[in-house]
Amino acid sequence: MALELHIPPCISTPAHPFHLPPVDKPLRIQIEGPLVSVQKLLPGITWHTDIRFHVFPQPAGPELAKLTYEKIYGQKVRSDVAGDMVVRDEYLGWVMEERPITRIDYYGVTFDHLVPADDRDPEVLQINIIEMDDDEGAFANKYLLFSVDPAEYTGKKVLAVPRCCQTRKGTQDRGRVNDGVTEREQLREENLMES
């Protein structure tokens, strides 16, 4: 059974403008976290983890983006609105200690919401999924700006927190996320030229 994705309200007064953003605001959104947490949200999703034959996006990508979109905007993705939700990039955290490399332990997806195709540097909302089952909330209570009771989440929901409510400031999020999308576009173009 899938657990609920939970994005708590912003603790700042006034709330950060991207937590939660207005539906008409163009925004690039990245959500990422431990694979075990993503699997709680999307049980049964197939993962393609043969590093030699990388699949983009992973089947989880559009599903995690859709789930996040619905939590952020309180509505379903609007298929009749151009650019309402477009998967642009993903991050796979490969377990490098094993050979052959066939396993990931971290996953993230980046998607655009109403971002014009020619905008190479849109504003970014970074959301981190916080796993609490393995440490009884110790990481969450150390790196979030609010207290968390893991009993509220275990077996019920998965916590996802925008950067504004974390101790990390994310000063490089915009550049890192936008560079990732640019690299993905360049790779796609190179692959098209080779085929």
Side-chain angles (χ1 to χ4, degrees), residues 35 46-55 58 92 94 101-104:
L35 181 64
T46 302
W47 294 90
H48 302 287
T49 57
D50 186 332
I51 199 165
R52 299 167 300 160
F53 305 105
H54 181 70
V55 173
Q58 291 282 324
L92 287 82
W94 295 97
I101 300 170
T102 59
R103 196 166 64 89
I104 61 172

Side-chain angles (χ1 to χ4, degrees), residues 1-193:
M1 181 178 88
L3 299 186
E4 172 193 352
L5 177 65
H6 178 69
I7 301 175
C10 188
I11 63 163
S12 300
T13 305
H16 188 279
F18 299 159
H19 187 176
L20 297 169
V23 73
D24 61 343
K25 168 82 175 150
L27 195 60
R28 180 162 286 160
I29 300 162
Q30 182 177 71
I31 182 164
E32 62 183 5
L35 181 64
V36 66
S37 297
V38 175
Q39 289 172 323
K40 290 175 187 176
L41 297 168
L42 304 169
I45 285 284
T46 302
W47 294 90
H48 302 287
T49 57
D50 186 332
I51 199 165
R52 299 167 300 160
F53 305 105
H54 181 70
V55 173
F56 174 78
Q58 291 282 324
E63 294 302 316
L64 182 57
K66 183 174 84 169
L67 186 62
T68 304
Y69 175 103
E70 291 172 358
K71 284 296 175 181
I72 290 172
Y73 297 109
Q75 65 185 27
K76 299 240 182 251
V77 175
R78 301 168 296 178
S79 58
D80 60 324
V81 175
D84 199 39
M85 188 202 83
V86 180
V87 173
R88 300 300 306 274
D89 192 22
E90 68 183 355
Y91 174 78
L92 287 82
W94 295 97
V95 177
M96 302 304 285
E97 295 80 25
E98 298 176 4
R99 294 292 187 255
I101 300 170
T102 59
R103 196 166 64 89
I104 61 172
D105 63 0
Y106 197 86
Y107 181 75
V109 66
T110 302
F111 65 96
D112 284 356
H113 170 66
L114 303 179
V115 174
D118 62 347
D119 189 347
R120 298 283 182 225
D121 189 32
E123 294 185 277
V124 169
L125 169 60
Q126 172 68 42
I127 303 172
N128 292 91
I129 298 171
I130 311 296
E131 176 59 37
M132 287 190 275
D133 291 355
D134 61 345
D135 69 355
E136 298 176 353
F139 180 88
N141 285 312
K142 181 175 181 179
Y143 292 105
L144 300 180
L145 297 175
F146 57 93
S147 296
V148 175
D149 178 1
E152 292 180 24
Y153 294 90
T154 301
K156 301 173 195 149
K157 52 191 173 181
V158 174
L159 177 64
V161 182
R163 185 70 84 204
C164 58
C165 291
Q166 301 177 32
T167 57
R168 282 186 55 200
K169 298 301 173 208
T171 55
Q172 298 178 4
D173 287 346
R174 184 174 181 170
R176 178 182 50 78
V177 171
N178 288 331
D179 286 350
V181 169
T182 299
E183 289 172 21
R184 175 73 59 190
E185 288 174 354
Q186 290 170 345
L187 183 61
R188 183 181 60 83
E189 289 171 9
E190 289 170 11
N191 289 340
L192 286 175
M193 289 183 355

